[in-house]
Amino acid sequence: MMRTIPLAFVALFACGSSSNGPPANVAGTYTVSVTNGQNGCMVGTFTPGAMTAGVTVQVTQNGTQVSADVMGLAGVYLTAGVGSSTLVGQINGSTANLTASANHTTGMCAYTTTATANMTFDGDTMQGTITYSDSGNGSSDCGVVEACTNTQNFAGSRPPPSG
């Protein structure tokens, strides 16, 4: 069974503060590098250790609500895998957790793919991990997507705020 998981994808924010307390100001345009980790879902186009540089992510923020729009080809792959090029979630101090998900069917298999990005910030840099999890309906058509995960690590920065 051939599936698509984004080959390169996310990143986000910056502006340091602790993981508790008021949210850091993370809005801006980030340039990140993404490195593939484990390929537990056995996606043919997902090579562990492969790296993609120059992924652009536009981050918007309203208080503790944050969204990250992944641009370019990485956004196209993300949309194919999880239904959207935008992840949404919350920031608490200098950490954020964002998600996107989509439902898929293959034969008698109905499964959900969820991307979860966990990030940490320091000044105008950020780093983190994205986990892609599949969960199926128990059909034998699901194969490996019955319950599997792929991971990516990412790191990047945004230009310092002007002024």
Side-chain angles (χ1 to χ4, degrees), residues 2-163:
M2 181 60 111
R3 291 192 38 256
T4 302
I5 280 190
L7 294 178
F9 143 11
V10 182
L12 298 183
F13 339 93
C15 274
S17 76
S18 70
S19 62
N20 295 312
N25 176 8
V26 298
T29 301
Y30 294 79
T31 303
V32 301
S33 293
V34 181
T35 304
N36 292 349
Q38 73 176 14
N39 184 6
C41 297
M42 308 304 265
V43 176
T45 57
F46 189 96
T47 304
M51 185 179 128
T52 301
V55 177
T56 301
V57 179
Q58 179 66 48
V59 176
T60 56
Q61 180 179 5
N62 183 2
T64 61
Q65 302 295 312
V66 177
S67 66
D69 187 22
V70 181
M71 311 298 231
L73 187 57
V76 171
Y77 281 117
L78 184 58
T79 299
V82 296
S84 176
S85 64
T86 302
L87 291 100
V88 296
Q90 303 255 331
I91 184 166
N92 181 11
S94 63
T95 62
N97 297 301
L98 287 83
T99 61
S101 65
N103 296 319
H104 307 278
T105 56
T106 300
M108 297 299 292
C109 178
Y111 65 98
T112 301
T113 302
T114 302
T116 303
N118 297 303
M119 295 142 237
T120 304
F121 322 96
D122 184 14
D124 289 315
T125 64
M126 50 78 28
Q127 63 180 4
T129 302
I130 298 171
T131 302
Y132 304 94
S133 302
D134 283 336
S135 177
N137 64 356
S139 168
S140 61
D141 286 351
C142 288
V144 71
V145 301
E146 180 58 34
C148 66
T149 59
N150 281 25
T151 60
Q152 292 178 308
N153 296 313
F154 59 87
S157 63
R158 66 176 179 182
S162 56

